[in-house]
């Protein structure tokens, strides 16, 4: 091995935790040059602002200096122009529009919104799929009722309920077992659920992502083309601060931001019809403005919504005429207009 090959062999020990590949095989290391006791290279990342850039720089310098006594200096230029992880994206056969539903934090009602939106779109005459990609806590399998996923000739056949095709990891894992995922595993699980499922013809595939800005949304953006992302929040300040982060993540991954939904926005008393802002006053008009986007809707706190989900009943189908259900249908209408 010559010196360059020796250096590359050492650099191959550095793994990008997001894609699970080493930095050489991933094509990050370019223009490696040796000038006497100095090693120079270009590190071509997804974006100049890649959060891992300092980690890579430090690891490269540390490993090379540790391994080769003759190396006194390592110069690394960060670049982002020629490497494009997005070039690996593929269309999901038969699926026209993919919409990701995300939130900054858990428990804001992201899955509740995902499933009711999916069925509201289906009620509007669209062919709909629902993919529960909440790998850490899949709940669509509870909200969607008892379903079964079948494997047939290397393909996954989704559970179909009232015309909506549903895939949830919850149908595959035992109910209370903790689900432990590392980045690369999430990537391959999502790839299989997306590409190995027999979706048939689908107008809208709704993807219920886990809360936060971790591996799943990054993987999804690298695997396929998304029509856009919808952010769900409650009015609490903690949720609002986290949802900003989630929206910024969409921008960073070049995913169009379709708008924001406020869940548990208010509670209307059954007796006096007075509106109570149990989680504080709405702040999403401000946020929508800040991101130059749209408020898609405000969903009230509705006890029937929670109990339907727990019983595996589809709220928008069971309570079609209810005010909360109507809010979901209006959101579906806005999505149809925007996509
Ligand atoms: P997430 O997916 O964000 O973790 P979920 O959709 O699982 O949140 O909702 C968390 C809990 O809140 C569930 O028990 C759900 O039934 C309940 N819930 C969600 N939205 C509402 C609402 N608008 N009114 C009443 N309960 C709700």
């Amino acid at each position: 091995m010559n010196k360059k090959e020796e250096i590359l062999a050492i650099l191959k020990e550095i793994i990008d935790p997001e894609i699970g590949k080493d930095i050489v095989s991933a094509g990050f290391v370019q223009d490696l040059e040796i000038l006497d006791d100095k090693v120079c290279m270009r590190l071509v990342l997804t974006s100049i602002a890649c959060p891992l850039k300092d980690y890579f720089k430090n690891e490269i310098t540390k490993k090379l200096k540790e391994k080769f006594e003759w190396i006194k200096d390592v110069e690394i230029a960060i670049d982002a122009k020629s490497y494009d992880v997005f070039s690996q994206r593929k269309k999901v056969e038969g699926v026209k529009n993919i919409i990701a539903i995300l939130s900054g934090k858990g428990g804001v009602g992201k899955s509740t919104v995902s499933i009711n939106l999916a069925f509201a779109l289906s009620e509007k005459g669209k062919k709909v799929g629902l993919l529960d990609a909440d790998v850490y806590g899949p709940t669509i399998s509870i909200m969607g009722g008892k379903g079964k996923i079948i494997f047939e000739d290397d393909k996954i056949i989704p559970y179909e309920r009232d015309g909506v095709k549903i895939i949830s990891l919850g149908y595959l894992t035992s109910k209370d077992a903790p689900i432990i995922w590392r980045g690369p595993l999430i990537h391959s699980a999502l790839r299989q659920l997306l590409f190995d499922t027999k979706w048939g013809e689908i107008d809208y595939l709704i993807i219920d992502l886990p809360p936060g800005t971790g591996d799943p949304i990054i993987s999804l953006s690298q695997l396929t083309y998304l029509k856009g992302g919808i952010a769900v929040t409650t009015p609490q300040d903690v949720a609002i601060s986290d949802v900003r982060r989630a929206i910024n993540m969409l921008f960073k991954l070049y995913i169009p931001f379709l708008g924001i939904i406020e869940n548990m926005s208010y509670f209307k008393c059954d007796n006096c019809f007075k509106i109570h802002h149990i989680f504080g006053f709405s702040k999403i008009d401000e946020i929508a403005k800040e991101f130059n986007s749209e408020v898609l809707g405000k969903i009230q706190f509705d006890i029937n919504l929670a109990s339907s989900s727990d019983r595996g009943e589809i709220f928008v189908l069971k309570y079609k005429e209810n005010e909360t259900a109507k809010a979901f249908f209006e959101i579906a209408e806005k999505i149809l207009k925007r996509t």
Side-chain angles (χ1 to χ4, degrees):
M1 275 206 274
N2 63 29
K3 274 186 174 175
K4 257 192 192 175
E5 287 165 343
E6 280 176 357
I7 289 174
L8 286 172
I10 293 299
L11 294 183
K12 266 179 161 271
E13 292 173 6
I14 304 173
I15 310 291
D16 178 339
E18 276 175 3
I19 59 170
K21 262 189 182 174
D22 71 81
I23 59 171
V24 177
S25 310
F28 295 170
V29 179
Q30 301 280 328
D31 304 332
L32 180 69
E33 295 294 342
I34 300 166
L35 305 165
D36 301 324
D37 60 0
K38 183 173 171 176
V39 174
C40 307
M41 71 191 78
R42 220 156 45 92
L43 200 58
V44 186
L45 303 172
T46 36
S47 121
I48 299 260
C50 172
L52 290 168
K53 75 174 183 225
D54 291 332
Y55 165 75
F56 288 143
K57 265 182 148 177
N58 292 339
E59 279 295 287
I60 292 170
T61 310
K62 192 176 91 193
K63 273 196 188 293
L64 291 185
K65 283 190 174 169
E66 256 171 29
K67 188 76 192 171
F68 306 104
E69 252 177 41
W70 58 269
I71 298 181
K72 298 283 177 264
D73 195 10
V74 180
E75 199 176 293
I76 303 163
I78 300 288
D79 201 349
K81 282 186 209 102
S82 53
Y83 181 73
D84 181 12
V85 280
F86 298 110
S87 63
Q88 319 267 319
R89 284 187 293 190
K90 281 195 306 187
K91 249 189 93 42
V92 182
E93 209 188 308
V95 177
K96 287 194 191 129
N97 300 292
I98 300 182
I99 295 180
I101 312 288
L102 55 147
S103 69
K105 71 197 274 310
V108 298
K110 176 185 47 59
S111 302
T112 307
V113 167
S114 300
I115 194 164
N116 281 290
L117 264 189
F119 280 89
L121 284 165
S122 168
E123 278 291 291
K124 298 256 167 212
K126 297 295 168 190
K127 295 190 187 81
V128 181
L130 174 62
L131 170 57
D132 182 1
D134 193 340
V135 287
Y136 307 111
T139 47
I140 295 291
S141 49
I142 299 168
M143 296 178 178
K146 279 205 177 76
K148 216 171 163 192
I149 284 173
I150 303 163
F151 293 89
E152 208 178 83
D153 304 329
D154 289 344
K155 283 276 176 200
I156 309 168
I157 313 292
Y159 160 54
E160 193 164 335
R161 174 165 182 176
D162 296 291
V164 174
K165 292 177 178 167
I166 309 175
I167 289 275
S168 170
L169 282 170
Y171 291 131
L172 302 171
T173 48
S174 88
K175 206 167 125 259
D176 301 320
I179 305 173
I180 301 156
W181 295 95
R182 282 175 46 245
L185 264 182
I186 290 177
H187 194 79
S188 63
L190 278 180
R191 188 176 47 226
Q192 281 179 36
L193 295 176
L194 269 178
F195 297 109
D196 294 348
T197 294
K198 218 173 182 175
W199 290 110
E201 290 300 309
I202 293 283
D203 297 313
Y204 287 91
L205 177 61
I206 302 294
I207 302 191
D208 179 17
L209 281 171
T213 52
D215 291 320
I217 179 77
I218 299 170
S219 286
L220 196 60
S221 72
Q222 294 171 356
L223 285 166
T224 191
Y225 303 92
L226 300 184
K227 193 76 190 183
I230 293 174
V232 179
T233 184
T234 54
Q236 289 118 310
D237 284 340
V238 275
I240 293 284
S241 127
D242 284 351
V243 84
R244 276 203 177 86
R245 261 190 274 275
I247 298 169
N248 276 319
M249 189 72 171
L250 289 180
F251 287 112
K252 212 162 173 189
L253 297 170
Y254 309 106
I255 301 171
F257 176 41
L258 295 177
I260 184 163
I261 296 172
E262 189 168 73
N263 188 33
M264 308 194 218
S265 203
Y266 56 89
F267 174 72
K268 203 187 230 177
C269 174
D270 284 350
N271 291 325
C272 63
F273 300 111
K274 196 171 166 227
I275 285 180
H276 300 272
H277 297 276
I278 40 179
F279 293 128
F281 286 98
S282 177
K283 296 168 190 82
I284 58 163
D285 295 277
E286 251 171 71
I287 295 191
K289 216 163 158 194
E290 185 182 319
F291 288 99
N292 212 3
S293 186
E294 192 184 348
V295 171
L296 291 173
K298 294 179 185 176
I299 310 285
Q300 63 177 308
F301 186 92
D302 190 323
I303 290 156
N304 286 327
L305 190 48
S307 56
S308 299
S309 301
D310 285 347
R311 286 197 297 265
E313 291 169 353
I314 308 300
F315 177 81
V316 287
L317 299 188
K318 188 162 182 205
Y319 298 94
K320 271 183 200 161
E321 294 308 318
N322 160 301
E323 203 179 304
T324 315
K326 281 185 182 156
F328 279 114
F329 287 116
E330 280 166 24
I331 296 172
E333 201 58 56
K334 282 190 186 163
I335 292 172
L336 293 180
K337 276 202 191 113
R338 288 210 64 182
T339 52

